[in-house]
PDB file of all heavy atoms in Angstrom:
ATOM      1  N   PRO A1179      14.320  -8.128  -4.966  1.00 43.00           N
ATOM      2  CA  PRO A1179      14.363  -9.276  -5.931  1.00 43.00           C
ATOM      3  C   PRO A1179      13.064  -9.559  -6.552  1.00 43.00           C
ATOM      4  O   PRO A1179      11.992  -9.429  -5.866  1.00 43.00           O
ATOM      5  CB  PRO A1179      14.906 -10.449  -5.029  1.00 43.00           C
ATOM      6  CG  PRO A1179      15.566  -9.790  -3.879  1.00 43.00           C
ATOM      7  CD  PRO A1179      14.863  -8.532  -3.642  1.00 43.00           C
ATOM      8  N   HIS A1180      13.030  -9.876  -7.835  1.00 40.00           N
ATOM      9  CA  HIS A1180      11.844 -10.232  -8.605  1.00 40.00           C
ATOM     10  C   HIS A1180      10.960  -9.068  -8.838  1.00 40.00           C
ATOM     11  O   HIS A1180       9.787  -9.222  -9.310  1.00 40.00           O
ATOM     12  CB  HIS A1180      11.108 -11.363  -7.935  1.00 40.00           C
ATOM     13  CG  HIS A1180      11.965 -12.489  -7.532  1.00 40.00           C
ATOM     14  ND1 HIS A1180      12.686 -13.167  -8.389  1.00 40.00           N
ATOM     15  CD2 HIS A1180      12.219 -13.095  -6.351  1.00 40.00           C
ATOM     16  CE1 HIS A1180      13.364 -14.171  -7.801  1.00 40.00           C
ATOM     17  NE2 HIS A1180      13.126 -14.062  -6.505  1.00 40.00           N
ATOM     18  N   LYS A1181      11.374  -7.822  -8.571  1.00 40.00           N
ATOM     19  CA  LYS A1181      10.571  -6.614  -8.861  1.00 40.00           C
ATOM     20  C   LYS A1181      11.191  -5.970 -10.038  1.00 40.00           C
ATOM     21  O   LYS A1181      12.421  -5.742 -10.184  1.00 40.00           O
ATOM     22  CB  LYS A1181      10.550  -5.698  -7.649  1.00 40.00           C
ATOM     23  CG  LYS A1181       9.767  -6.223  -6.448  1.00 40.00           C
ATOM     24  CD  LYS A1181       8.281  -6.372  -6.703  1.00 40.00           C
ATOM     25  CE  LYS A1181       7.495  -6.903  -5.566  1.00 40.00           C
ATOM     26  NZ  LYS A1181       6.138  -6.999  -5.733  1.00 40.00           N
ATOM     27  N   SER A1182      10.428  -5.396 -10.998  1.00 41.00           N
ATOM     28  CA  SER A1182      10.925  -4.790 -12.174  1.00 41.00           C
ATOM     29  C   SER A1182      10.696  -3.306 -11.995  1.00 41.00           C
ATOM     30  O   SER A1182       9.686  -2.852 -12.023  1.00 41.00           O
ATOM     31  CB  SER A1182      10.261  -5.268 -13.424  1.00 41.00           C
ATOM     32  OG  SER A1182       8.876  -5.077 -13.326  1.00 41.00           O
ATOM     33  N   ALA A1183      11.808  -2.506 -11.804  1.00 44.00           N
ATOM     34  CA  ALA A1183      11.701  -1.104 -11.699  1.00 44.00           C
ATOM     35  C   ALA A1183      11.406  -0.496 -13.112  1.00 44.00           C
ATOM     36  O   ALA A1183      11.795  -1.025 -14.135  1.00 44.00           O
ATOM     37  CB  ALA A1183      12.988  -0.518 -11.173  1.00 44.00           C
ATOM     38  N   PRO A1184      10.805   0.664 -13.269  1.00 49.00           N
ATOM     39  CA  PRO A1184      10.470   1.522 -12.112  1.00 49.00           C
ATOM     40  C   PRO A1184       8.863   1.495 -11.806  1.00 49.00           C
ATOM     41  O   PRO A1184       8.420   2.455 -11.248  1.00 49.00           O
ATOM     42  CB  PRO A1184      10.778   2.876 -12.655  1.00 49.00           C
ATOM     43  CG  PRO A1184      10.446   2.761 -14.138  1.00 49.00           C
ATOM     44  CD  PRO A1184      10.712   1.353 -14.549  1.00 49.00           C
ATOM     45  N   ALA A1185       8.197   0.500 -12.250  1.00 74.00           N
ATOM     46  CA  ALA A1185       6.761   0.506 -12.065  1.00 74.00           C
ATOM     47  C   ALA A1185       6.392   0.506 -10.562  1.00 74.00           C
ATOM     48  O   ALA A1185       7.010  -0.028  -9.780  1.00 74.00           O
ATOM     49  CB  ALA A1185       6.170  -0.784 -12.763  1.00 74.00           C
ATOM     50  N   TYR A1186       5.235   1.171 -10.357  1.00 86.00           N
ATOM     51  CA  TYR A1186       4.712   1.114  -8.934  1.00 86.00           C
ATOM     52  C   TYR A1186       4.286  -0.287  -8.583  1.00 86.00           C
ATOM     53  O   TYR A1186       3.630  -1.008  -9.406  1.00 86.00           O
ATOM     54  CB  TYR A1186       3.501   2.059  -8.867  1.00 86.00           C
ATOM     55  CG  TYR A1186       2.806   1.994  -7.468  1.00 86.00           C
ATOM     56  CD1 TYR A1186       3.509   2.459  -6.330  1.00 86.00           C
ATOM     57  CD2 TYR A1186       1.551   1.382  -7.319  1.00 86.00           C
ATOM     58  CE1 TYR A1186       2.912   2.474  -5.106  1.00 86.00           C
ATOM     59  CE2 TYR A1186       0.996   1.317  -6.077  1.00 86.00           C
ATOM     60  CZ  TYR A1186       1.596   1.876  -4.991  1.00 86.00           C
ATOM     61  OH  TYR A1186       1.017   1.765  -3.738  1.00 86.00           O
ATOM     62  N   PRO A1187       4.766  -0.879  -7.476  1.00 84.00           N
ATOM     63  CA  PRO A1187       4.530  -2.247  -7.190  1.00 84.00           C
ATOM     64  C   PRO A1187       3.099  -2.670  -6.724  1.00 84.00           C
ATOM     65  O   PRO A1187       2.841  -3.794  -6.387  1.00 84.00           O
ATOM     66  CB  PRO A1187       5.579  -2.563  -6.113  1.00 84.00           C
ATOM     67  CG  PRO A1187       5.739  -1.306  -5.387  1.00 84.00           C
ATOM     68  CD  PRO A1187       5.584  -0.230  -6.440  1.00 84.00           C
ATOM     69  N   GLY A1188       2.269  -1.687  -6.549  1.00 85.00           N
ATOM     70  CA  GLY A1188       0.859  -1.933  -6.182  1.00 85.00           C
ATOM     71  C   GLY A1188       0.719  -2.174  -4.609  1.00 85.00           C
ATOM     72  O   GLY A1188      -0.255  -2.780  -4.171  1.00 85.00           O
ATOM     73  N   THR A1189       1.631  -1.614  -3.871  1.00 88.00           N
ATOM     74  CA  THR A1189       1.617  -1.728  -2.376  1.00 88.00           C
ATOM     75  C   THR A1189       0.250  -1.435  -1.746  1.00 88.00           C
ATOM     76  O   THR A1189      -0.263  -2.099  -0.856  1.00 88.00           O
ATOM     77  CB  THR A1189       2.743  -0.881  -1.750  1.00 88.00           C
ATOM     78  OG1 THR A1189       3.868  -1.148  -2.395  1.00 88.00           O
ATOM     79  CG2 THR A1189       2.758  -1.092  -0.316  1.00 88.00           C
ATOM     80  N   CYS A1190      -0.311  -0.273  -2.188  1.00 91.00           N
ATOM     81  CA  CYS A1190      -1.569   0.121  -1.558  1.00 91.00           C
ATOM     82  C   CYS A1190      -2.888  -0.242  -2.311  1.00 91.00           C
ATOM     83  O   CYS A1190      -4.004   0.118  -1.938  1.00 91.00           O
ATOM     84  CB  CYS A1190      -1.583   1.683  -1.358  1.00 91.00           C
ATOM     85  SG  CYS A1190      -0.360   2.337  -0.248  1.00 91.00           S
ATOM     86  N   ARG A1191      -2.767  -1.005  -3.449  1.00 90.00           N
ATOM     87  CA  ARG A1191      -3.867  -1.308  -4.361  1.00 90.00           C
ATOM     88  C   ARG A1191      -4.990  -2.000  -3.587  1.00 90.00           C
ATOM     89  O   ARG A1191      -6.117  -1.759  -3.801  1.00 90.00           O
ATOM     90  CB  ARG A1191      -3.357  -2.036  -5.606  1.00 90.00           C
ATOM     91  CG  ARG A1191      -4.440  -2.283  -6.534  1.00 90.00           C
ATOM     92  CD  ARG A1191      -4.041  -3.122  -7.728  1.00 90.00           C
ATOM     93  NE  ARG A1191      -2.887  -2.553  -8.413  1.00 90.00           N
ATOM     94  CZ  ARG A1191      -1.763  -3.164  -8.672  1.00 90.00           C
ATOM     95  NH1 ARG A1191      -1.546  -4.477  -8.239  1.00 90.00           N
ATOM     96  NH2 ARG A1191      -0.824  -2.589  -9.297  1.00 90.00           N
ATOM     97  N   GLU A1192      -4.596  -3.065  -2.866  1.00 88.00           N
ATOM     98  CA  GLU A1192      -5.682  -3.908  -2.254  1.00 88.00           C
ATOM     99  C   GLU A1192      -5.680  -3.740  -0.703  1.00 88.00           C
ATOM    100  O   GLU A1192      -6.064  -4.686  -0.008  1.00 88.00           O
ATOM    101  CB  GLU A1192      -5.442  -5.342  -2.644  1.00 88.00           C
ATOM    102  CG  GLU A1192      -5.324  -5.579  -4.125  1.00 88.00           C
ATOM    103  CD  GLU A1192      -6.673  -5.152  -4.841  1.00 88.00           C
ATOM    104  OE1 GLU A1192      -7.686  -5.121  -4.178  1.00 88.00           O
ATOM    105  OE2 GLU A1192      -6.556  -4.862  -6.164  1.00 88.00           O
ATOM    106  N   LEU A1193      -5.393  -2.543  -0.190  1.00 89.00           N
ATOM    107  CA  LEU A1193      -5.446  -2.373   1.290  1.00 89.00           C
ATOM    108  C   LEU A1193      -6.893  -2.590   1.772  1.00 89.00           C
ATOM    109  O   LEU A1193      -7.823  -2.097   1.019  1.00 89.00           O
ATOM    110  CB  LEU A1193      -4.891  -1.066   1.672  1.00 89.00           C
ATOM    111  CG  LEU A1193      -3.449  -0.762   1.455  1.00 89.00           C
ATOM    112  CD1 LEU A1193      -3.075   0.637   1.986  1.00 89.00           C
ATOM    113  CD2 LEU A1193      -2.540  -1.835   2.194  1.00 89.00           C
ATOM    114  N   SER A1194      -7.104  -3.150   2.895  1.00 88.00           N
ATOM    115  CA  SER A1194      -8.449  -3.175   3.499  1.00 88.00           C
ATOM    116  C   SER A1194      -8.785  -1.825   4.029  1.00 88.00           C
ATOM    117  O   SER A1194      -7.896  -0.954   4.236  1.00 88.00           O
ATOM    118  CB  SER A1194      -8.515  -4.354   4.574  1.00 88.00           C
ATOM    119  OG  SER A1194      -7.660  -3.879   5.596  1.00 88.00           O
ATOM    120  N   ARG A1195      -9.994  -1.680   4.493  1.00 88.00           N
ATOM    121  CA  ARG A1195     -10.443  -0.426   5.101  1.00 88.00           C
ATOM    122  C   ARG A1195      -9.614  -0.244   6.375  1.00 88.00           C
ATOM    123  O   ARG A1195      -9.123   0.913   6.618  1.00 88.00           O
ATOM    124  CB  ARG A1195     -11.881  -0.479   5.402  1.00 88.00           C
ATOM    125  CG  ARG A1195     -12.439   0.827   6.084  1.00 88.00           C
ATOM    126  CD  ARG A1195     -13.889   0.843   6.226  1.00 88.00           C
ATOM    127  NE  ARG A1195     -14.608   0.756   4.936  1.00 88.00           N
ATOM    128  CZ  ARG A1195     -15.947   0.687   4.807  1.00 88.00           C
ATOM    129  NH1 ARG A1195     -16.722   0.732   5.913  1.00 88.00           N
ATOM    130  NH2 ARG A1195     -16.520   0.642   3.622  1.00 88.00           N
ATOM    131  N   ALA A1196      -9.414  -1.265   7.123  1.00 88.00           N
ATOM    132  CA  ALA A1196      -8.750  -1.199   8.356  1.00 88.00           C
ATOM    133  C   ALA A1196      -7.213  -0.770   8.073  1.00 88.00           C
ATOM    134  O   ALA A1196      -6.680   0.011   8.826  1.00 88.00           O
ATOM    135  CB  ALA A1196      -8.705  -2.510   9.148  1.00 88.00           C
ATOM    136  N   GLN A1197      -6.648  -1.404   7.086  1.00 88.00           N
ATOM    137  CA  GLN A1197      -5.250  -1.080   6.782  1.00 88.00           C
ATOM    138  C   GLN A1197      -5.128   0.438   6.241  1.00 88.00           C
ATOM    139  O   GLN A1197      -4.137   1.088   6.607  1.00 88.00           O
ATOM    140  CB  GLN A1197      -4.732  -1.970   5.606  1.00 88.00           C
ATOM    141  CG  GLN A1197      -4.472  -3.396   6.090  1.00 88.00           C
ATOM    142  CD  GLN A1197      -4.192  -4.288   4.978  1.00 88.00           C
ATOM    143  OE1 GLN A1197      -4.829  -4.221   3.885  1.00 88.00           O
ATOM    144  NE2 GLN A1197      -3.176  -5.228   5.136  1.00 88.00           N
ATOM    145  N   ARG A1198      -6.140   0.942   5.553  1.00 89.00           N
ATOM    146  CA  ARG A1198      -6.091   2.318   5.174  1.00 89.00           C
ATOM    147  C   ARG A1198      -6.229   3.216   6.322  1.00 89.00           C
ATOM    148  O   ARG A1198      -5.568   4.289   6.372  1.00 89.00           O
ATOM    149  CB  ARG A1198      -7.211   2.556   4.075  1.00 89.00           C
ATOM    150  CG  ARG A1198      -6.875   1.953   2.747  1.00 89.00           C
ATOM    151  CD  ARG A1198      -8.028   2.212   1.767  1.00 89.00           C
ATOM    152  NE  ARG A1198      -7.778   1.585   0.508  1.00 89.00           N
ATOM    153  CZ  ARG A1198      -8.591   1.498  -0.493  1.00 89.00           C
ATOM    154  NH1 ARG A1198      -9.823   2.028  -0.329  1.00 89.00           N
ATOM    155  NH2 ARG A1198      -8.237   0.911  -1.641  1.00 89.00           N
ATOM    156  N   THR A1199      -7.026   2.838   7.227  1.00 87.00           N
ATOM    157  CA  THR A1199      -7.242   3.657   8.480  1.00 87.00           C
ATOM    158  C   THR A1199      -5.941   3.693   9.231  1.00 87.00           C
ATOM    159  O   THR A1199      -5.498   4.781   9.733  1.00 87.00           O
ATOM    160  CB  THR A1199      -8.265   3.072   9.329  1.00 87.00           C
ATOM    161  OG1 THR A1199      -9.561   3.052   8.640  1.00 87.00           O
ATOM    162  CG2 THR A1199      -8.455   3.906  10.641  1.00 87.00           C
ATOM    163  N   GLU A1200      -5.288   2.550   9.254  1.00 88.00           N
ATOM    164  CA  GLU A1200      -3.944   2.547   9.995  1.00 88.00           C
ATOM    165  C   GLU A1200      -2.892   3.354   9.278  1.00 88.00           C
ATOM    166  O   GLU A1200      -2.122   4.156   9.901  1.00 88.00           O
ATOM    167  CB  GLU A1200      -3.441   1.071  10.153  1.00 88.00           C
ATOM    168  CG  GLU A1200      -2.141   0.874  10.899  1.00 88.00           C
ATOM    169  CD  GLU A1200      -2.221   1.335  12.310  1.00 88.00           C
ATOM    170  OE1 GLU A1200      -3.312   1.270  12.836  1.00 88.00           O
ATOM    171  OE2 GLU A1200      -1.205   1.733  12.861  1.00 88.00           O
ATOM    172  N   ARG A1201      -2.866   3.364   7.921  1.00 86.00           N
ATOM    173  CA  ARG A1201      -1.934   4.164   7.171  1.00 86.00           C
ATOM    174  C   ARG A1201      -2.217   5.645   7.424  1.00 86.00           C
ATOM    175  O   ARG A1201      -1.365   6.454   7.514  1.00 86.00           O
ATOM    176  CB  ARG A1201      -2.028   3.817   5.650  1.00 86.00           C
ATOM    177  CG  ARG A1201      -1.517   2.460   5.287  1.00 86.00           C
ATOM    178  CD  ARG A1201       0.043   2.409   5.505  1.00 86.00           C
ATOM    179  NE  ARG A1201       0.619   1.092   5.056  1.00 86.00           N
ATOM    180  CZ  ARG A1201       1.189   0.999   3.830  1.00 86.00           C
ATOM    181  NH1 ARG A1201       1.376   2.052   3.002  1.00 86.00           N
ATOM    182  NH2 ARG A1201       1.667  -0.158   3.456  1.00 86.00           N
ATOM    183  N   ALA A1202      -3.497   5.997   7.412  1.00 85.00           N
ATOM    184  CA  ALA A1202      -3.833   7.396   7.501  1.00 85.00           C
ATOM    185  C   ALA A1202      -3.400   7.962   8.829  1.00 85.00           C
ATOM    186  O   ALA A1202      -3.175   9.143   8.938  1.00 85.00           O
ATOM    187  CB  ALA A1202      -5.367   7.492   7.413  1.00 85.00           C
ATOM    188  N   ARG A1203      -3.357   7.066   9.877  1.00 83.00           N
ATOM    189  CA  ARG A1203      -2.833   7.610  11.171  1.00 83.00           C
ATOM    190  C   ARG A1203      -1.418   8.003  11.204  1.00 83.00           C
ATOM    191  O   ARG A1203      -1.032   8.708  12.117  1.00 83.00           O
ATOM    192  CB  ARG A1203      -3.081   6.457  12.246  1.00 83.00           C
ATOM    193  CG  ARG A1203      -4.452   6.215  12.646  1.00 83.00           C
ATOM    194  CD  ARG A1203      -4.618   5.063  13.602  1.00 83.00           C
ATOM    195  NE  ARG A1203      -6.047   4.713  13.913  1.00 83.00           N
ATOM    196  CZ  ARG A1203      -6.471   3.572  14.278  1.00 83.00           C
ATOM    197  NH1 ARG A1203      -5.557   2.552  14.356  1.00 83.00           N
ATOM    198  NH2 ARG A1203      -7.783   3.373  14.517  1.00 83.00           N
ATOM    199  N   GLY A1204      -0.689   7.578  10.219  1.00 80.00           N
ATOM    200  CA  GLY A1204       0.688   8.073  10.085  1.00 80.00           C
ATOM    201  C   GLY A1204       0.835   9.554   9.751  1.00 80.00           C
ATOM    202  O   GLY A1204       1.926  10.031   9.845  1.00 80.00           O
ATOM    203  N   GLY A1205      -0.280  10.108   9.288  1.00 80.00           N
ATOM    204  CA  GLY A1205      -0.222  11.590   9.056  1.00 80.00           C
ATOM    205  C   GLY A1205       0.206  12.024   7.650  1.00 80.00           C
ATOM    206  O   GLY A1205       0.172  13.217   7.368  1.00 80.00           O
ATOM    207  N   ARG A1206       0.538  10.991   6.765  1.00 82.00           N
ATOM    208  CA  ARG A1206       0.847  11.409   5.440  1.00 82.00           C
ATOM    209  C   ARG A1206      -0.409  11.463   4.497  1.00 82.00           C
ATOM    210  O   ARG A1206      -1.008  10.461   4.406  1.00 82.00           O
ATOM    211  CB  ARG A1206       1.853  10.479   4.796  1.00 82.00           C
ATOM    212  CG  ARG A1206       2.276  10.794   3.345  1.00 82.00           C
ATOM    213  CD  ARG A1206       3.160   9.687   2.727  1.00 82.00           C
ATOM    214  NE  ARG A1206       4.372   9.583   3.459  1.00 82.00           N
ATOM    215  CZ  ARG A1206       4.868   8.400   3.919  1.00 82.00           C
ATOM    216  NH1 ARG A1206       4.196   7.272   3.779  1.00 82.00           N
ATOM    217  NH2 ARG A1206       6.048   8.291   4.470  1.00 82.00           N
TER     218      ARG A1206
END
């Protein structure tokens, strides 16, 4: 709801360094 497709919603735009490190551990 309240999201307009198909634009990228900016999920990773403002990740902190710690959040990026955690995402990187996922292996993708």
Side-chain angles (χ1 to χ4, degrees):
H1180 312 300
K1181 294 291 185 180
S1182 57
Y1186 175 69
T1189 308
C1190 295
R1191 185 186 298 128
E1192 305 300 337
L1193 293 181
S1194 66
R1195 181 175 297 180
Q1197 288 172 317
R1198 288 179 180 172
T1199 300
E1200 181 63 26
R1201 291 290 188 103
R1203 287 177 184 153
R1206 179 188 295 128

